[in-house]
Amino acid sequence: MQFYSTNRKVAPVSFKEAVIKGLPDDNGLFLPEKIPSFSDDFLNQLSKKSFQEIAFESAKLIIEDEIGDNDLHSIINDAFDFEIPVKNVHDNIHVMELFHGPTLAFKDFGARFMARVMGYFLKEDGREINILVATSGDTGSAVAQGFLGVEGIKVTLLYPKGKVSKIQEQQLTTIGQNITALEVDGTFDDCQLLVKTAFLDKELNEKLNLSSANSINIARLLPQSFYYTYAFSRLNRKEEDVYFCVPSGNYGNLCGGLLAKKMGLPISGFIAASNANDIVPHYLNAGRFAPKPSVQTIANAMDVGNPSNFVRMLELYDNDFAKITSDIKGISFDDSQAEDIIREVHGKYGYLMCPHTAIGYGGLKHFLKPEDTGVFLSTAHPCKFKDVVEPLISEEIEIPLRLKAIIEKKKHAISMNKDFVGFKSFLLEQSI
Ligand SMILES: *Cc1c(COP(=O)(O)O)cnc(C)c1O
């Protein structure tokens, strides 16, 4: 399989090159040239397959022979060694909990898969790379955990100062080894701009082997399609139409679902649910894509003003607005609505959600018809947003042990302002 750039100004590349590069030189995004189809046999046997089997067969269709079967099995078994519960919350509403990995958020799926795939390809070549990651909270720690101790890979994390939760900051700044955290005096968009500018900087590219690990890397996107297929296979349904609601920021998670549907998974449609950063819902409802500076919300991992995967959404639907809007509905919730949802669902059904997940529930509840079946994606453990959630339910949330240990560690972060010159010289010094 070859991977093309959505800007179409550079030639298509192999999976390996797309993964190592992260971003094509023309500043587009990589996508597979042809979207393969699941076989009927695969779709008919789904309910008998484990998550790992579904992941392997889905990945194989896209990666083809660039990773041998045995290695691909090891990568998958090692990356996805935690549970993925699909539960009924009430009536026809289900939740898929994607937060049982090491950092308690769904980004563990993409990050762990990508880290192992990159490690595999780098070992093949005896190469070294520098990974730059802008994070609004959860990406960074998931990526860093994924790469921790991987030889030949240095990771630099950029996060917006004062705009991530205490727990998130601890997760970002206490890892050590081959991971460095930069505390940027700016917003997530500023961090993302620094990373994007670095990729376009000639000198940096000559001196450092730069790579990206944000949701724009194709190896992060791919595994985010596996769990839609898995959840679909675990629903106790007859002929009901199935809808997924995805709480979204950069829309990588949603794109994973769109990919699974395009490969033939019979999903009837999606709901893209956002916080006040409603760029994509606004596009879906009003037909205009109008990026704007991000605003801060309680669902801060979705505070994105210019979602980078939007181009992929367009590509997957051939830029056809009618096609996009017939498959995807958009809705947004402000902080007080999200708080009400957390309170209500906890009170009525005893199910506790983080603010992002609450937005996913809200979107599904709004659009789902009684005769259909719906799944919302739970993207983080509620304890990661303790400060927001606890006052709403007047109860203490129990923190899993693996997170408790991190909270007690000492923070190590390098302060940085948001202008590119300082960032660039830091990178150049690091590389010596
Ligand atoms: C990153 C993140 C999201 C948004 O996912 P995208 O792929 O950027 O749309 C939602 N919830 C949580 C907890 C996240 O960390």
Side-chain angles (χ1 to χ4, degrees):
M1 179 77 69
Q2 294 284 101
F3 293 77
Y4 74 99
S5 163
T6 52
N7 277 350
R8 296 186 171 74
K9 295 206 180 92
V10 291
V13 299
S14 64
F15 180 64
K16 175 173 176 172
E17 200 175 332
V19 172
I20 303 282
K21 265 185 114 47
L23 207 64
D25 289 332
D26 64 0
N27 208 18
L29 298 177
F30 286 119
L31 272 177
E33 261 194 336
K34 262 195 242 107
I35 307 289
S37 297
F38 294 128
S39 68
D40 290 343
D41 201 41
F42 172 79
L43 292 173
N44 293 332
Q45 302 292 316
L46 274 187
S47 61
K48 300 196 191 93
K49 292 183 192 293
S50 67
F51 177 80
Q52 284 73 13
E53 286 165 338
I54 289 173
F56 177 83
E57 291 181 51
S58 309
K60 190 76 194 163
L61 287 175
I62 301 229
I63 301 173
E64 296 175 341
D65 292 328
E66 286 190 59
I67 300 177
D69 285 3
N70 288 341
D71 288 313
L72 188 55
H73 276 299
S74 319
I75 288 170
I76 284 170
N77 292 338
D78 193 42
F80 311 120
D81 60 352
F82 45 86
E83 54 169 345
I84 308 156
V86 180
K87 300 174 178 169
N88 180 257
V89 177
H90 65 88
D91 304 300
N92 55 346
I93 293 191
H94 302 74
V95 61
M96 169 161 56
E97 292 182 350
L98 299 172
F99 58 70
H100 295 270
T103 69
L104 312 182
F106 91 94
K107 293 196 176 70
D108 284 328
F109 283 87
R112 288 170 69 82
F113 183 76
M114 180 186 62
R116 283 154 185 77
V117 167
M118 273 188 171
Y120 171 87
F121 286 138
L122 289 171
K123 205 162 114 193
E124 236 177 31
D125 296 2
R127 272 209 284 172
E128 295 200 349
I129 57 168
N130 279 281
I131 290 179
L132 304 180
V133 188
T135 179
S136 55
D138 281 323
T139 322
S141 53
V143 167
Q145 283 292 343
F147 281 111
L148 181 62
V150 177
E151 254 175 74
I153 299 181
K154 241 193 235 167
V155 180
T156 304
L157 300 169
L158 293 82
Y159 71 95
K161 178 178 177 175
K163 296 192 175 63
V164 301
S165 75
K166 177 77 187 147
I167 294 179
Q168 284 176 333
E169 183 167 35
Q170 283 299 108
Q171 284 188 307
L172 293 169
T173 58
T174 61
I175 306 168
Q177 292 189 43
N178 53 333
I179 320 292
T180 308
L182 302 185
E183 184 176 19
V184 177
D185 197 356
T187 62
F188 169 67
D189 291 340
D190 293 325
C191 295
Q192 208 169 28
L193 186 64
L194 284 175
V195 170
K196 282 188 180 166
T197 312
F199 280 117
L200 298 175
D201 187 277
K202 244 193 151 145
E203 189 187 359
L204 283 178
N205 276 288
E206 273 163 19
K207 297 197 170 148
L208 309 171
N209 232 329
L210 290 185
S211 184
S212 144
N214 273 329
S215 51
I216 49 182
N217 193 299
I218 192 74
R220 293 247 341 249
L221 190 67
L222 197 51
Q224 290 171 184
S225 73
F226 306 158
Y227 45 69
Y228 289 87
T229 311
Y230 175 73
F232 184 89
S233 77
R234 263 41 182 188
L235 294 172
N236 201 353
R237 58 185 269 281
K238 297 190 179 72
E239 296 296 312
E240 297 93 343
D241 281 350
V242 176
Y243 290 84
F244 280 90
C245 182
V246 191
S248 296
N250 252 323
Y251 292 83
N253 202 1
L254 178 69
C255 278
L258 302 181
L259 181 62
K261 179 166 163 61
K262 206 153 178 184
M263 289 171 80
L265 188 70
I267 299 171
S268 296
F270 295 90
I271 298 143
S274 80
N275 57 25
N277 298 282
D278 62 346
I279 317 299
V280 169
H282 179 78
Y283 165 78
L284 294 167
N285 293 317
R288 245 172 351 99
F289 181 66
K292 51 189 180 204
S294 61
V295 296
Q296 219 181 317
T297 75
I298 57 170
N300 65 17
M302 303 180 354
D303 292 349
V304 182
N306 190 0
S308 35
N309 281 292
F310 180 67
V311 220
R312 280 198 174 119
M313 292 175 64
L314 293 181
E315 285 285 317
L316 289 168
Y317 285 96
D318 309 319
N319 285 284
D320 184 331
F321 183 70
K323 272 201 226 166
I324 295 178
T325 49
S326 83
D327 271 9
I328 315 171
K329 306 279 172 252
I331 188 166
S332 70
F333 296 88
D334 65 24
D335 282 356
S336 79
Q337 290 173 309
E339 288 172 350
D340 287 344
I341 295 169
I342 293 173
R343 224 183 270 118
E344 187 187 317
V345 173
H346 180 258
K348 265 195 185 160
Y349 309 108
Y351 190 71
L352 188 59
M353 302 178 291
C354 83
H356 314 78
T357 304
I359 286 171
Y361 172 89
L364 189 62
K365 184 88 189 354
H366 180 86
F367 284 107
L368 193 68
K369 298 198 191 89
E371 66 271 24
D372 297 331
T373 291
V375 183
F376 65 99
L377 275 52
S378 175
T379 50
H381 192 297
C383 78
K384 293 188 82 173
F385 301 88
K386 214 176 174 321
D387 301 351
V388 177
V389 175
E390 274 182 353
L392 297 173
I393 58 165
S394 320
E395 257 175 47
E396 238 183 84
I397 308 175
E398 194 161 343
I399 298 188
L401 280 179
R402 60 187 193 281
L403 200 57
K404 263 192 195 148
I406 291 169
I407 295 171
E408 264 123 53
K409 286 193 183 168
K410 190 173 169 357
K411 165 181 165 182
H412 287 285
I414 295 166
S415 300
M416 185 93 13
N417 61 31
K418 63 180 181 183
D419 64 59
F420 183 66
V421 182
F423 177 55
K424 179 171 170 178
S425 47
F426 167 80
L427 288 176
L428 289 171
E429 276 165 33
Q430 282 269 299
S431 75
I432 301 163

